[in-house]
Amino acid sequence: MKQTEALILERTALGPGYYYYRLLCPELADKAKPGQFIEIKASSEETLDPLLSRPISIYRINPEEGSLAVIFKTVGRGTRRIAALQRGNKVSVFGPVGNGFMLPEEAGRIALIAGGIGMPPLFSLAERYPEKDFTLFYGGRSATDLLALDAWEQLGVPYKLATDDGSAGFHGLVTSLFEREHLAASFDYVIACGPKPMLKAVQQLAARFRLPGAISLEAYMACGVGACLGCTCATSKGYRRVCVDGPVFEISEVTFDD
Amino acid sequence: MKQTEALILERTALGPGYYYYRLLCPELADKAKPGQFIEIKASSEETLDPLLSRPISIYRINPEEGSLAVIFKTVGRGTRRIAALQRGNKVSVFGPVGNGFMLPEEAGRIALIAGGIGMPPLFSLAERYPEKDFTLFYGGRSATDLLALDAWEQLGVPYKLATDDGSAGFHGLVTSLFEREHLAASFDYVIACGPKPMLKAVQQLAARFRLPGAISLEAYMACGVGACLGCTCATSKGYRRVCVDGPVFEISEVTFDD
Amino acid sequence: MTDPRLQVNVAGLVLKNPLLPASGTYGYGREYLPFFTPDLFGAVVTKGVSTIPWVGNPPPRVYETPAGMLNAIGLQNPGVEAFISEAIPFLETYQTPVIVNVVGKTVEEYVAVVERLDDISVVSGFELNISCPNVKEGGIAFGTQPDCAAQVTAAVRKATRKPLIVKLSPNVTDITAIAKAVEQAGADALSLINTLLGMAIDLRSRKPVLGNVVGGLSGPAVKPVALRMVYQVYQAVSVPIIGMGGICSAADALEFIMAGATAVAVGTGMFHDPMLPRKILDGIREFLQEEKVENIAELKGIAHR
Amino acid sequence: MTDPRLQVNVAGLVLKNPLLPASGTYGYGREYLPFFTPDLFGAVVTKGVSTIPWVGNPPPRVYETPAGMLNAIGLQNPGVEAFISEAIPFLETYQTPVIVNVVGKTVEEYVAVVERLDDISVVSGFELNISCPNVKEGGIAFGTQPDCAAQVTAAVRKATRKPLIVKLSPNVTDITAIAKAVEQAGADALSLINTLLGMAIDLRSRKPVLGNVVGGLSGPAVKPVALRMVYQVYQAVSVPIIGMGGICSAADALEFIMAGATAVAVGTGMFHDPMLPRKILDGIREFLQEEKVENIAELKGIAHR
Ligand SMILES: Cc1cc2nc3c(=O)[nH]c(=O)nc-3n(C[C@H](O)[C@H](O)[C@H](O)COP(=O)(O)OP(=O)(O)OC[C@H]3O[C@@H](n4cnc5c(N)ncnc54)[C@H](O)[C@@H]3O)c2cc1C
Ligand SMILES: Cc1cc2nc3c(=O)[nH]c(=O)nc-3n(C[C@H](O)[C@H](O)[C@H](O)COP(=O)(O)OP(=O)(O)OC[C@H]3O[C@@H](n4cnc5c(N)ncnc54)[C@H](O)[C@@H]3O)c2cc1C
Ligand SMILES: Cc1cc2nc3c(=O)[nH]c(=O)nc-3n(C[C@H](O)[C@H](O)[C@H](O)COP(=O)(O)O)c2cc1C
Ligand SMILES: Cc1cc2nc3c(=O)[nH]c(=O)nc-3n(C[C@H](O)[C@H](O)[C@H](O)COP(=O)(O)O)c2cc1C
Ligand code: FES
Ligand code: FES
């Protein structure tokens, strides 16, 4: 983990409220693994509000260039402030944080299930392991919420889409789509990242199909380094820190409350 | 008094830490009088820190263009944040605030005494009354702290400079310079704006020479509209609000504590 | 303009909307005329009025802190007679109810102000600022001891039948104890919070910044504390609550209402943005629309359910 | 590296500099290793240690507020035995003194933790967190009543001859009364402030944000309150004070020292900027240089003169 002032090499608006940034931060890019995230400072030098950094998953890792790319959605003032930064600006970041994904050797056919802005870390994973047989199941509200499909295509990972409004792919939940497809052509391993209700559904499906896997969680964070115990989630092993014990957990370990 | 989002028409760095901004704000420019000030918001939409606006005197009034110009020095985070704004940005301002200068009809020869960043409001006064006989006494730490001398020249107002380090004009306090010059060619009226110790010295000189006049004060402000009683100064009439009862006070009225 | 969804009832006063100015931040209403008239508010709350003029504290009186500010105005005010001759005629020209904030150094002074104003019809109610130092009790604020708080409330209660609001100090171990004591003593409503005691030091002079050394902290910085106190007091009393402390948006105002406030006040937020009261009202209306709420009272205390 | 101008003495502990981490924000020291080692600090203050493991509160546990944050961790910790087997061996590898923050639900629990740790040489002293709910007194925090605060202090005092620091809660009417009571009961030093009780409500769910409903407010928002309390307590007691609450810069740290603190702690500020402790030490050195101060102790309490 390192802190640095990252230069913004590229900023692209990917659609309403979605942004892609490529950040020059060689010390971080050198260490980063798929599934890890970085903490991005949402405030400038001269202000103490907002106070806390915002955790954002790593979307692409380019150690040669010394860069990391992220994709995020503006949901509140922190992400809006970050989205206001332009190419050529610097932004304070630290990371990489978290455990990242562990792919079991034996996992042959791997289902990636992404809900909304949960897609980016799955991309970094697929990009890291070109030899693996991934299929992406990607759900969102609407066609405009499904991002970077061209990047997935270039990667050669087949994807199946689902939207709540039917504007792209399957009309319905991505987990329903996955369930249907899994029955047709079963997978050995599942990795999911997205909103809690989706993860919970994936957990139930995995249990039903006795499918091993992992899920990447989100939590409100304060320190982002494992010190404050602010970001814990309930697991079968007690409360665990999402920032450093996660964000990736074994799929059956997490306890979702109802 | 009006609030508006002013467009920054021009931004010029005048030297180390000094900035000139020309702001498009027709409703304010229409009403503004010399000696008034505007309140400039030091925070962006998405932050509550810094919380309060910063009072900055009006340097030039251009009702035709609908613009106001200001000159300020970066002394803390508020002014630094404002200085980071660029041409084409908008900034939230309200004003004009305060009473402004009143020139008595009978005042013939008028001495303007400026200390450091106290100069701008005096310029707006001199520009408004081209028929009056002004002389500017302008003191600062060093030559680089004496700003906009070309503008004063264009206005045709003679000026005498003083610097603490002797790098321009008289080597010493502007009040000592004024004292010497006043003895040579006396003035009917004196108007001063600058740091407290200077204003206090001007007050004493004015008393000694029985010179009528006015001084423009600064105070830490909260509301900037006269509601909070936060900016009061001690006067012979009790505590008065610098923001709306001032910032210009009759020279003998203000009580400087020792 | 008037929107029945915003109408609330506080201590018998029907207010066209739940937004008030916080005492001391809005003067007697005149200074914000360039931005809006007193009629924007559900009621006007004046700055503190005492029997005789108070000169206030030596400057500096205000200072910015992270997302907040300190003030040590010292309750400067021209006294009740000047209030009657100058502020009342101005306020009379508007329709909105007027709540007079009352300050005093003894119980008798509070009573005297209320008695003097009780017959003036434009005065719709009183708000007792019990954060004032009680000179008979060695300068400890009335509002920090349940018995002192109850005593001044009871005495004023006898002096008026108009709505009596008591404004609580947050600088206490248990605000519910004070709240219960003043409810018992006859308060029709409570407002909270007043400012938190704080200070700042100037590194160059190495001295306290404020002329009065300590001052009151207000603004968004204190909002979480204020909200917690409103939430706690709502559970402890049955009189209505006027919530305040750091409100800077419609969302903030709605948080207070969900915590249990019937009405809310905006103070320091107006210094941040003089158009804030209008924005808050617009924002509340929008929220009611979006969430299909028929009347704002439906949201009151909903966070307790 | 070591700078004699920064050396201070707190309760018999000679610290190479006056900067500590605030308990609970720095874990047991391991998590910030990517940024600096425990030896950066004058002493390490651990997060709270209890007799048996505490699971802590349900999430969400943290939430950002204007220039501050709320936390309701619930003092999750693995208990004193795990602390001894896991944290102590790690801390032993560094030179800096270790102050163990102690939590409990009864006086006996505090005493048990201190007794268990007293013989461990790397433990240089104790900091009692008396903001914990006292189960025997119906859950009211030890730190809000002078007699309860004194009782737990006196009991622990008997259990150890090591430096005993008592950490005060700011949620009280008169912090000097608590400070005097614990000084009387044998505290060698005081640290203040712990967090201010606050809360937040989520508008969409219309429910309190935190799993625990209320939480502790920390960060720059609370700095003016913390500074005022340090200033007041400095006038009331003669034991040294460790000041904290919102420190985010060397200037903030110096304000606390001028208000009367001998040492200072940084907590939430590290979440804002993980490199903050280093920046604060550099900034203090710079200030001493510029202002030609021979030893930081010269500045202690200077704002009172
Ligand atoms: C490990 C991790 C990886 C993430 N990766 C991405 C990503 O790649 N792209 C992306 O767009 N978003 C990602 N997020 C979510 C992102 O951190 C939040 O959207 C962001 O912090 C919101 O900040 P804000 O100030 O804009 O919103 P706020 O105004 O603070 O809040 C808006 C909403 O977001 C929620 N929220 C705030 N902070 C967090 C947080 N730390 N975690 C979860 N929810 C939060 C709030 O509860 C609220 O509902 C990730 C979160 C985590 C924990
Ligand atoms: C009526 C009036 C007119 C002014 N006109 C000008 C002008 O034309 N050009 C210019 O450069 N400056 C002017 N000032 C001063 C300017 O307002 C302050 O420099 C500015 O507010 C400092 O803000 P900051 O955040 O940068 O500094 P801070 O970090 O807040 O403080 C830095 C220093 O400035 C002092 N200060 C902060 N706020 C004020 C304030 N409102 N008034 C006085 N001192 C303050 C502080 O005490 C501190 O010593 C004027 C002030 C007033 C009251
Ligand atoms: C400058 C100023 C003056 C105040 N004067 C008074 C007063 O006269 N009487 C009173 O009861 N409260 C007074 N208050 C407290 C406010 O009414 C309010 O309770 C407090 O500021 C919290 O709300 P806010 O954060 O929205 O400002 C004053 C506050 C400020 C900032
Ligand atoms: C996440 C978090 C956890 C904390 N845990 C403890 C604790 O275990 N024991 C304790 O005495 N104080 C605890 N505190 C309080 C801090 O030590 C400190 O007193 C307070 O946060 C004020 O300082 P700050 O504003 O610099 O954070 C905690 C604070 C935070 C933010
Ligand atoms: S955010 Fe502090 S432990 Fe995870
Ligand atoms: S700043 Fe509020 S009265 Fe002048």
Side-chain angles (χ1 to χ4, degrees):
Chain A
M1 223 168 359
K2 283 264 180 287
Q3 191 199 34
T4 190
E5 301 295 314
L7 180 71
I8 299 174
L9 296 173
E10 186 184 348
R11 170 191 186 275
T12 312
L14 298 183
Y18 292 105
Y19 296 88
Y20 165 90
Y21 280 80
R22 194 158 45 90
L23 305 170
L24 185 69
C25 47
E27 312 93 308
L28 278 65
D30 229 36
K31 296 272 156 50
K33 291 183 299 183
Q36 291 189 306
F37 62 96
I38 58 174
E39 286 273 2
I40 306 184
K41 199 168 198 163
S43 59
S44 61
E45 270 302 306
E46 304 282 5
T47 171
L48 293 164
D49 181 61
L51 189 68
L52 304 173
S53 293
R54 299 312 198 244
I56 301 290
S57 297
I58 298 169
Y59 163 61
R60 293 186 87 156
I61 304 168
N62 189 337
E64 290 74 46
E65 188 185 43
S67 72
L68 292 175
V70 295
I71 291 179
F72 65 88
K73 182 178 177 178
T74 50
V75 298
R77 59 189 195 138
T79 44
R80 278 195 298 267
R81 282 182 65 94
I82 299 169
L85 295 170
Q86 302 300 325
R87 179 165 178 276
N89 289 168
K90 288 195 165 189
V91 61
S92 182
V93 299
F94 73 83
V97 192
N99 55 358
F101 296 111
M102 295 269 284
L103 273 191
E105 276 301 316
E106 66 281 8
R109 300 206 61 214
I110 303 164
L112 302 176
I113 307 183
I117 200 64
M119 179 275 287
L122 301 179
F123 187 88
S124 68
L125 177 70
E127 193 172 40
R128 170 66 58 97
Y129 298 101
E131 73 284 7
K132 289 277 183 185
D133 179 5
F134 293 108
T135 305
L136 172 70
F137 297 85
Y138 189 4
R141 288 214 185 160
S142 195
T144 51
D145 297 299
L146 301 176
L147 311 172
L149 297 176
D150 49 341
W152 283 98
E153 253 157 51
Q154 276 177 31
L155 214 56
V157 171
Y159 56 77
K160 318 243 174 210
L161 307 178
T163 52
D164 297 351
D165 64 0
S167 55
F170 177 77
H171 189 163
L173 297 176
V174 68
T175 45
S176 311
L177 171 65
F178 169 68
E179 181 175 357
R180 209 178 62 180
E181 294 284 326
H182 179 67
L183 294 178
S186 74
F187 292 94
D188 302 323
Y189 200 76
V190 60
I191 297 183
C193 185
K196 258 198 189 132
M198 183 200 98
L199 295 180
K200 197 173 163 179
V202 172
Q203 191 187 54
Q204 286 165 349
L205 286 174
R208 218 173 85 205
F209 299 136
R210 299 185 192 283
L211 200 58
I215 53 180
S216 181
L217 292 187
E218 286 194 9
Y220 208 101
M221 290 181 182
C223 72
V225 304
C228 76
L229 309 185
C231 63
T232 52
C233 61
T235 75
S236 53
K237 298 173 191 157
Y239 286 129
R240 300 193 67 198
R241 298 165 298 183
V242 172
C243 66
V244 295
D245 300 326
V248 182
F249 292 91
E250 197 274 302
I251 199 160
S252 64
E253 184 187 346
V254 178
T255 319
F256 292 104
D257 47 38
D258 324 71
Chain B
M1 221 164 7
K2 283 265 179 286
Q3 191 198 36
T4 189
E5 300 296 314
L7 180 71
I8 299 175
L9 296 173
E10 187 184 349
R11 172 191 184 273
T12 312
L14 298 182
Y18 293 105
Y19 296 88
Y20 165 90
Y21 280 81
R22 194 156 46 89
L23 305 170
L24 186 69
C25 46
E27 312 93 310
L28 278 64
D30 228 36
K31 295 271 155 51
K33 290 182 301 183
Q36 291 189 305
F37 62 95
I38 57 175
E39 287 273 2
I40 306 184
K41 201 167 197 164
S43 58
S44 61
E45 271 302 306
E46 303 281 5
T47 170
L48 293 164
D49 182 59
L51 188 69
L52 304 173
S53 294
R54 297 321 197 233
I56 301 290
S57 297
I58 298 169
Y59 164 60
R60 292 186 86 157
I61 305 167
N62 189 337
E64 288 76 46
E65 188 185 42
S67 73
L68 292 175
V70 294
I71 292 179
F72 65 87
K73 183 178 177 178
T74 51
V75 298
R77 60 189 193 135
T79 45
R80 278 195 298 268
R81 281 181 65 93
I82 299 169
L85 296 169
Q86 302 300 323
R87 180 164 177 277
N89 289 167
K90 288 195 167 190
V91 60
S92 182
V93 299
F94 73 83
V97 192
N99 54 359
F101 295 112
M102 295 270 283
L103 274 191
E105 276 301 316
E106 66 281 10
R109 301 205 60 216
I110 302 164
L112 302 175
I113 308 183
I117 201 64
M119 180 276 287
L122 302 178
F123 187 87
S124 68
L125 178 69
E127 192 171 39
R128 169 65 59 96
Y129 297 100
E131 72 285 6
K132 289 277 182 186
D133 179 6
F134 294 108
T135 304
L136 173 70
F137 296 86
Y138 189 4
R141 288 216 182 158
S142 195
T144 51
D145 297 299
L146 302 175
L147 311 171
L149 296 176
D150 49 342
W152 283 97
E153 253 157 51
Q154 275 176 32
L155 213 57
V157 171
Y159 57 75
K160 317 244 173 209
L161 307 178
T163 52
D164 296 351
D165 65 2
S167 55
F170 178 75
H171 188 165
L173 297 177
V174 67
T175 45
S176 312
L177 171 65
F178 170 67
E179 181 175 357
R180 210 177 62 181
E181 294 284 326
H182 178 67
L183 293 177
S186 74
F187 292 94
D188 303 324
Y189 200 76
V190 58
I191 297 182
C193 185
K196 262 205 185 122
M198 183 200 98
L199 296 180
K200 196 173 164 180
V202 172
Q203 190 188 54
Q204 286 165 350
L205 287 174
R208 219 173 84 206
F209 299 137
R210 299 185 191 284
L211 201 58
I215 53 181
S216 182
L217 293 187
E218 286 193 8
Y220 208 101
M221 291 181 181
C223 72
V225 304
C228 75
L229 309 186
C231 63
T232 53
C233 62
T235 75
S236 53
K237 298 175 190 156
Y239 287 129
R240 300 193 67 198
R241 297 165 298 183
V242 172
C243 66
V244 294
D245 300 325
V248 182
F249 291 91
E250 197 274 301
I251 198 161
S252 63
E253 184 187 346
V254 178
T255 317
F256 292 105
D257 49 37
D258 321 72
Chain C
M1 177 70 216
T2 45
D3 179 338
R5 294 173 309 169
L6 292 184
Q7 189 176 301
V8 296
N9 187 317
V10 179
L13 289 175
V14 177
L15 309 183
K16 66 177 175 296
N17 72 56
L19 189 66
L20 317 178
S23 174
T25 64
Y26 181 63
Y28 299 125
R30 207 188 296 268
E31 286 79 9
Y32 276 94
L33 282 183
F35 303 106
F36 47 80
T37 76
D39 282 340
L40 182 73
F41 290 111
V44 159
V45 182
T46 70
K47 77 184 158 86
V49 175
S50 55
T51 48
I52 55 165
W54 286 7
V55 296
N57 288 326
R61 290 177 169 187
V62 290
Y63 192 69
E64 190 181 71
T65 66
M69 63 170 277
L70 290 164
N71 90 78
I73 310 299
L75 298 169
Q76 176 182 340
N77 83 89
V80 68
E81 296 307 329
F83 175 75
I84 291 171
S85 60
E86 286 155 32
I88 291 286
F90 168 76
L91 289 166
E92 259 170 356
T93 63
Y94 298 93
Q95 307 306 314
T96 205
V98 173
I99 295 167
V100 178
N101 183 274
V102 179
V103 299
K105 288 174 182 136
T106 61
V107 170
E108 294 71 29
E109 287 184 17
Y110 282 97
V111 171
V113 173
V114 169
E115 281 178 343
R116 183 70 184 84
L117 292 170
D118 199 40
D119 290 338
I120 296 178
S121 66
V122 67
V123 174
S124 304
F126 298 99
E127 179 183 68
L128 301 192
N129 175 356
I130 60 170
S131 294
C132 305
N134 180 342
V135 294
K136 290 201 183 145
E137 301 286 335
I140 289 171
F142 286 95
T144 56
Q145 309 294 331
D147 50 341
C148 291
Q151 205 190 342
V152 61
T153 306
V156 170
R157 177 73 293 172
K158 284 199 205 105
T160 183
R161 300 175 75 169
K162 289 186 173 173
L164 177 58
I165 303 159
V166 178
K167 180 160 176 182
L168 306 183
S169 162
N171 301 297
V172 297
T173 307
D174 179 6
I175 194 150
T176 64
I178 316 280
K180 285 186 224 162
V182 303
E183 179 185 43
Q184 200 78 44
D188 298 311
L190 304 176
S191 55
L192 56 144
I193 63 172
N194 213 313
T195 55
L196 280 164
L197 219 49
M199 75 179 289
I201 290 172
D202 180 72
L203 289 197
R204 296 298 152 189
S205 70
R206 303 175 179 184
K207 293 268 165 277
V209 167
L210 296 175
N212 189 51
V213 180
V214 299
L217 181 65
S218 64
V222 310
K223 196 193 79 177
V225 175
L227 199 66
R228 181 264 298 180
M229 288 184 165
V230 167
Y231 188 90
Q232 289 179 324
V233 168
Y234 181 76
Q235 293 179 320
V237 301
S238 54
V239 293
I241 295 168
I242 303 170
M244 72 195 78
I247 293 178
C248 278
S249 66
D252 291 341
L254 289 162
E255 275 192 80
F256 276 87
I257 289 166
M258 291 182 183
T262 301
V264 294
V266 57
T268 305
M270 285 192 286
F271 306 164
H272 177 66
D273 176 0
M275 299 301 280
L276 184 62
R278 197 181 286 283
K279 291 179 187 166
I280 289 176
L281 287 172
D282 288 348
I284 291 177
R285 270 190 219 102
E286 232 169 79
F287 184 87
L288 298 184
Q289 192 74 38
E290 269 174 31
E291 303 264 312
K292 301 194 177 37
V293 178
E294 298 280 317
N295 187 283
I296 191 154
E298 288 171 36
L299 300 176
K300 186 178 77 180
I302 203 164
H304 294 264
R305 272 171 241 163
Chain D
M1 178 71 216
T2 45
D3 180 338
R5 294 173 309 169
L6 291 185
Q7 189 176 301
V8 297
N9 188 317
V10 178
L13 289 176
V14 178
L15 309 182
K16 66 177 174 297
N17 71 55
L19 189 66
L20 317 177
S23 174
T25 64
Y26 181 64
Y28 300 125
R30 208 188 296 265
E31 285 80 9
Y32 276 95
L33 283 182
F35 302 107
F36 48 81
T37 74
D39 282 340
L40 182 73
F41 291 111
V44 159
V45 182
T46 70
K47 78 183 160 84
V49 175
S50 55
T51 48
I52 55 164
W54 286 7
V55 295
N57 288 326
R61 290 177 168 187
V62 290
Y63 193 69
E64 190 181 69
T65 66
M69 64 171 276
L70 290 164
N71 90 78
I73 309 300
L75 297 168
Q76 175 182 341
N77 83 90
V80 68
E81 296 307 330
F83 174 76
I84 290 170
S85 61
E86 286 155 33
I88 291 286
F90 169 76
L91 289 165
E92 259 171 357
T93 63
Y94 298 93
Q95 307 306 312
T96 206
V98 173
I99 296 168
V100 178
N101 183 275
V102 178
V103 298
K105 289 176 181 132
T106 62
V107 170
E108 294 70 30
E109 285 184 17
Y110 282 97
V111 171
V113 174
V114 170
E115 280 178 343
R116 184 68 184 86
L117 292 170
D118 200 40
D119 291 338
I120 296 178
S121 65
V122 68
V123 174
S124 303
F126 299 98
E127 180 183 67
L128 302 192
N129 175 357
I130 59 169
S131 295
C132 305
N134 180 342
V135 293
K136 289 200 184 147
E137 301 286 337
I140 289 172
F142 286 94
T144 57
Q145 308 295 331
D147 51 339
C148 290
Q151 204 190 342
V152 61
T153 306
V156 170
R157 176 75 293 173
K158 284 197 205 106
T160 184
R161 300 176 74 168
K162 289 188 173 172
L164 177 58
I165 302 160
V166 178
K167 180 159 177 184
L168 306 183
S169 162
N171 300 298
V172 297
T173 308
D174 180 7
I175 193 150
T176 65
I178 316 280
K180 284 186 223 163
V182 303
E183 178 185 44
Q184 200 79 42
D188 298 311
L190 303 176
S191 54
L192 57 143
I193 61 173
N194 214 313
T195 53
L196 281 164
L197 219 49
M199 76 178 288
I201 292 172
D202 179 71
L203 290 198
R204 296 298 151 188
S205 70
R206 304 176 180 183
K207 292 267 163 278
V209 166
L210 297 174
N212 189 51
V213 180
V214 299
L217 181 66
S218 63
V222 309
K223 197 193 78 177
V225 175
L227 199 67
R228 182 263 297 182
M229 288 185 166
V230 167
Y231 188 91
Q232 289 179 323
V233 168
Y234 181 76
Q235 293 180 321
V237 302
S238 53
V239 293
I241 295 168
I242 302 169
M244 72 196 77
I247 292 178
C248 277
S249 66
D252 291 342
L254 289 162
E255 276 191 80
F256 275 87
I257 289 167
M258 291 182 184
T262 300
V264 293
V266 57
T268 305
M270 285 191 286
F271 306 164
H272 177 66
D273 176 1
M275 298 301 279
L276 184 63
R278 198 180 285 283
K279 290 179 188 165
I280 288 176
L281 288 172
D282 289 346
I284 291 177
R285 272 190 217 100
E286 233 169 77
F287 183 87
L288 298 183
Q289 192 74 38
E290 271 173 29
E291 303 262 313
K292 301 193 176 39
V293 178
E294 299 281 314
N295 187 285
I296 192 154
E298 288 171 35
L299 299 176
K300 187 179 75 182
I302 203 164
H304 294 265
R305 272 171 241 163

